[in-house]
Amino acid sequence: MTYLPDVVLEPIVRMALAEDLGRAGDVTTLATVDPDLEVQWVVRARSAGVLAGLDAASLTLRLIDPTATLTPRLPEGAVLAAGDVIATLNGRAQSLLMAERVMLNFLGPLSGIASLTARYVEAVKGTSAKITCTRKTTPGLRALQKKAVRLGGGSNHRFGLDDAILIKDNHVAAAGGIVAALTRAKAYGGHLLPIEVEVDSLKQLEEALPFSPTCIMLDNFSLADLKTAVARVAGAVTLEASGGVNLSTVADIAATGVGYISVGALTHSAPCLDLGLDEA
């Protein structure tokens, strides 16, 4: 998922613009800037990272003023160095100023997600593990944030509650155990609906294996238990590690042989990449 059509983007961008412009529009710009002034400005990286959010930024400007243009100088997913020019903007100064903050509010945080993802991907380089995001996203921005993860080299977990059965610990408790939960899930799901189950012990892993779920999530396993689980499963089921994952631990987790490592921090804790709008 590295492309989002306007039908997905536009409601998100319109909501952001409506929030910022309020009832009267940008009164500061309207009060101080000549409406006929034409300018050329650039979006510039002020720190290193990975670019994401250009599509949302471009649509932001287009909705403010269809005559204004944002011309990318680098593609999404590009590795940025401080000082790199990301895009050139041409149009009325009023239009660019009205769009500036919303454009940067998309570009900075989304590029931050892509940049943090790239650091995790680099940390597990040389292993078979893939870094994946979670549903711990900002409400309304999931599609954009998951796209940013892909641009950073990561993979996407499920997008919502409707595209896979994921049996977590509370589901297990409510259902009466791993066996009961998986028995119900197998009876409910069709042949095209994936089933993942979270286990928190090797005992629960043994209970889950006879059901051949699509994936088993090993939650907060020690490194020793992760290795034991990988050896026990021997490739019969996809294994995902979760819990206690950070840039200091992810390489050791990947070295155990798990197929996926889910990292909530990619979307809920990525620092915003420093970008700015400058004169050309």
Side-chain angles (χ1 to χ4, degrees):
M1 192 192 95
T2 54
Y3 167 76
L4 290 175
D6 282 355
V7 70
V8 174
L9 282 174
E10 190 164 329
I12 301 170
V13 175
R14 284 188 180 276
M15 180 177 65
L17 284 170
E19 177 183 61
D20 208 33
L21 292 170
R23 295 169 298 175
D26 182 356
V27 294
T28 306
T29 294
L30 293 171
T32 61
V33 178
D34 183 345
D36 296 320
L37 176 64
E38 296 278 335
V39 296
Q40 181 180 87
W41 290 340
V42 297
V43 180
R44 195 185 307 274
R46 293 173 179 166
S47 56
V50 177
L51 177 60
L54 265 180
D55 51 358
S58 179
L59 182 57
T60 297
L61 183 59
R62 196 158 73 244
L63 289 175
I64 287 288
D65 183 352
T67 69
T69 60
L70 183 154
T71 305
R73 299 276 290 273
L74 294 169
E76 290 199 303
V79 176
L80 301 172
D84 281 350
V85 172
I86 293 166
T88 302
L89 286 69
N90 289 276
R92 295 187 304 137
Q94 280 194 348
S95 300
L96 272 57
L97 287 166
M98 289 179 188
E100 175 183 7
R101 177 41 50 198
V102 173
M103 287 193 296
L104 294 176
N105 281 353
F106 284 122
L107 285 166
L110 292 172
S111 295
I113 289 172
S115 302
L116 182 60
T117 302
R119 293 179 66 192
Y120 274 90
V121 170
E122 179 63 25
V124 303
K125 191 174 180 179
T127 73
S128 59
K130 295 180 180 178
I131 299 297
T132 188
C133 55
T134 71
R135 285 171 45 245
K136 296 175 182 177
T137 55
T138 304
L141 298 181
R142 182 169 295 166
L144 287 169
Q145 292 182 329
K146 282 185 172 284
K147 176 186 171 184
V149 168
R150 291 295 300 271
L151 290 169
S155 65
N156 292 149
H157 216 283
R158 61 179 179 159
F159 278 72
L161 296 173
D162 61 339
D163 58 347
I165 293 175
L166 202 174
I167 303 167
K168 302 279 283 181
D169 54 351
N170 287 335
H171 298 104
V172 170
I178 291 285
V179 171
L182 281 169
T183 299
R184 287 172 175 262
K186 284 283 189 176
Y188 180 90
H191 69 290
L192 294 180
L193 189 62
I195 298 175
E196 179 173 13
V197 60
E198 175 186 286
V199 302
D200 58 20
S201 67
L202 292 170
K203 178 179 180 296
Q204 286 191 333
L205 174 66
E206 291 294 342
E207 293 176 352
L209 282 175
F211 292 89
S212 299
T214 312
C215 184
I216 297 177
M217 180 186 295
L218 309 172
D219 189 48
N220 284 299
F221 272 44
S222 67
L223 291 176
D225 282 351
L226 285 174
K227 291 177 183 177
T228 299
V230 169
R232 170 67 181 87
V233 171
V237 175
T238 298
L239 294 178
E240 172 188 341
S242 70
V245 183
N246 56 54
L247 284 168
S248 299
T249 63
V250 70
D252 288 337
I253 293 171
T256 65
V258 294
Y260 290 85
I261 304 173
S262 54
V263 187
L266 299 181
T267 51
H268 70 59
S269 295
C272 182
L273 193 67
D274 190 8
L275 309 170
L277 187 62
D278 302 323
E279 290 186 339

